[in-house]
Amino acid sequence: MDATHWSTDLILLAVLAGVFLYSLLTNAIAKSIVTLPIIFMAMGYIISRPIEASAEPEILNEGKRLLAEITLVLVLFSDASHVRLKTLRKNFSVPLRMLVIGLPLTVGLGMLVAYILNPESGLAMALLTAAVLTPTDAALGQTVVSSPDVPEELRQTINVESGLNDGLVLPFVLFGAIMASAGMEGADTDGLAFAAVLQVVLGPIVGIAFGWGFAKAMDVAQNRNLMAEAAGGVAFLAVAFSAFIGSEIVGGNGFIAAFVAGMAFGNTYKHEIHFIGEFMEGVGQLLTMFAFLVFGALLLPDGLEHMTWKAVVLAVLFLTIVRMLPIWLSLLGTGLALHEKLFLGWFGPRGLASILFTLIMMDEFEFPGEQELLACVSMTVFLSIILHGVSAAPLSKWIGHAARDKSDVTGETDG
């Protein structure tokens, strides 16, 4: 065995040892300010030099693209499958406002801020930057989502918003990348606009067809007792990736198809859908670990190498004003207290979706200012992993105290 293979094996062994150690200490870690993204981002950064020295760049690029595609397809399908449209219309006016009003406002404000700070990159790159940094990641705020201190309404709101905004922002990401790529000198733009529209139109059509069709077929199999319960996880994989591949074949966008297929499947399937959640708790968590590991090992070092003061300022603005102002505006008239609006605005951590979108768009398209985009995304996700991870537990307790105080005051007034 040569030195390269030996060092690669040692790196893999160290990563697997880290995964096992994390699994042993999950309860202890849950009680601390340390989170899964912090641990695996740090682990990735530590092994970044050995990985760079031991692996071919082509293999690394292919590997991270494959990991990004698999993870994003499963996350998009899984998140969308748990959203019930009837319930969303009736009982979730707050997350709906955040998605329908807050999300476009965030993309628009983010685009404006990115263009003002870096006008030479153009409006298309500003749109792409804003779009990849708009979706939020519940994994970074898991302490908040699972905390009994946080009122149920706020926890559900964070869950629903983070589950849907990555899929809803996909068209913005796609158009930004296509337009930025078209702006490159010598780029072939013939039929580009038509191809972009085709991706956004065909993706949902294919997603609906696959999600609805597979759900109906599984219902029939379940009703006739033909399908073993344990087969649900395998069927979930088949539906998600069939929608992705089917859409790519006909010229649609596979990720949009996977997201829409998840929503169609979840709202059509008549039986228990718990197998998707169970699968994502196991394999999905492992993919999340490796996604943050890849971020720490491959994206963060490059991002830090090209870091500028503009990227740092942009990252801070995206985590604060660009996120919190549109959310506050979208929640006007809901009856939520100011501290609740600020809480929802702050807990829009950037993580998995931003990482995956950046990996895939940079691999699929050539556009100007790639290094600036990488630096901005790297710094935003890095700061989000640290700041949201550290603030999750204390702010959960704070919002819980505020909710109890509000309840006590209301009770006294009613009495």
Side-chain angles (χ1 to χ4, degrees):
M1 182 179 293
D2 62 36
T4 300
H5 286 145
W6 177 246
S7 59
T8 302
D9 289 342
L10 281 178
I11 292 168
L12 183 57
L13 189 61
V15 169
L16 293 175
V19 171
F20 181 69
L21 186 61
Y22 173 83
S23 302
L24 291 181
L25 301 174
T26 44
N27 283 337
I29 291 171
K31 297 174 184 176
S32 70
I33 60 172
V34 181
T35 62
L36 180 152
I38 291 176
I39 292 170
F40 285 91
M41 175 188 70
M43 188 188 303
Y45 190 73
I46 290 169
I47 64 174
S48 59
R49 290 292 177 86
I51 286 178
E52 186 180 343
S54 63
E56 294 292 331
E58 294 80 10
I59 296 174
L60 286 178
N61 286 335
E62 289 177 8
K64 68 184 181 184
R65 171 66 187 262
L66 182 62
L67 173 67
E69 287 187 339
I70 291 173
T71 306
L72 189 56
V73 168
L74 293 180
V75 167
L76 288 170
F77 187 98
S78 172
D79 287 347
S81 70
H82 289 92
V83 176
R84 299 292 172 269
L85 296 177
K86 290 181 181 178
T87 307
L88 193 63
R89 274 200 310 270
K90 293 177 181 176
N91 303 324
F92 291 101
S93 62
V94 172
L96 265 180
R97 280 170 166 263
M98 293 171 70
L99 291 166
V100 175
I101 302 173
L103 187 146
L105 285 178
T106 302
V107 174
L109 180 58
M111 179 180 172
L112 178 63
V113 169
Y115 182 73
I116 290 173
L117 278 174
N118 204 8
E120 60 272 14
S121 290
L123 284 171
M125 278 303 296
L127 172 60
L128 178 59
T129 302
V132 298
L133 290 176
T134 291
T136 59
D137 185 0
L140 290 179
Q142 190 58 43
T143 303
V144 173
V145 174
S146 59
S147 173
D149 292 318
V150 180
E152 178 68 18
E153 181 186 0
L154 298 185
R155 280 189 282 147
Q156 285 184 339
T157 295
I158 293 171
N159 248 337
V160 172
E161 189 214 4
S162 64
L164 288 177
N165 62 10
D166 46 5
L168 295 176
V169 84
L170 257 171
F172 294 102
V173 174
L174 188 62
F175 277 120
I178 290 173
M179 295 304 295
S181 177
M184 289 282 286
E185 188 175 344
D188 182 11
T189 58
D190 290 342
L192 194 61
F194 178 73
V197 172
L198 208 60
Q199 285 201 47
V200 176
V201 172
L202 290 180
I205 293 173
V206 173
I208 292 171
F210 275 89
W212 180 87
F214 275 70
K216 287 295 185 182
M218 287 176 66
D219 276 332
V220 171
Q222 288 273 53
N223 290 335
R224 298 183 180 181
N225 201 27
L226 299 174
M227 178 180 168
E229 187 175 350
V234 178
F236 152 56
L237 290 177
V239 184
F241 287 108
S242 293
F244 174 80
I245 295 171
S247 182
E248 293 287 320
I249 289 173
V250 299
N253 183 269
F255 299 110
I256 295 176
F259 178 74
V260 175
M263 193 169 292
F265 183 90
N267 285 275
T268 303
Y269 190 57
K270 303 300 182 186
H271 295 78
E272 285 291 329
I273 204 171
H274 58 82
F275 54 83
I276 294 181
E278 291 170 358
F279 182 91
M280 292 302 290
E281 283 179 9
V283 176
Q285 188 178 54
L286 188 63
L287 288 171
T288 300
M289 291 176 182
F290 280 101
F292 282 107
L293 188 81
V294 167
F295 169 70
L298 303 179
L299 264 70
L300 186 57
D302 282 347
L304 292 177
E305 185 179 338
H306 297 92
M307 194 60 59
T308 63
W309 68 267
K310 291 181 180 180
V312 176
V313 171
L314 201 59
V316 172
L317 289 175
F318 266 96
L319 293 177
T320 54
I321 295 172
V322 172
R323 158 72 185 184
M324 298 176 76
L325 179 59
I327 293 302
W328 177 77
L329 289 172
S330 71
L331 297 178
L332 290 176
T334 58
L336 290 176
L338 177 61
H339 65 270
E340 292 172 320
K341 295 174 186 174
L342 293 176
F343 183 82
L344 290 174
W346 170 246
F347 279 105
R350 309 313 198 279
L352 198 57
S354 296
I355 295 169
L356 299 176
F357 286 154
T358 303
L359 280 172
I360 292 167
M361 292 303 118
M362 287 184 64
D363 187 66
E364 191 164 327
F365 296 97
E366 292 287 337
F367 39 75
E370 281 192 8
Q371 301 305 329
E372 288 84 355
L373 174 67
L374 181 60
C376 183
V377 172
S378 298
M379 181 52 63
T380 306
V381 174
F382 172 75
L383 289 178
S384 184
I385 288 173
I386 302 299
L387 297 177
H388 288 108
V390 170
S391 65
L395 288 182
S396 294
K397 294 186 185 301
W398 170 73
I399 201 72
H401 286 309
R404 285 190 290 274
D405 291 342
K406 180 180 177 182
S407 178
D408 291 341
V409 171
T410 304
E412 291 173 8
T413 304
D414 293 342

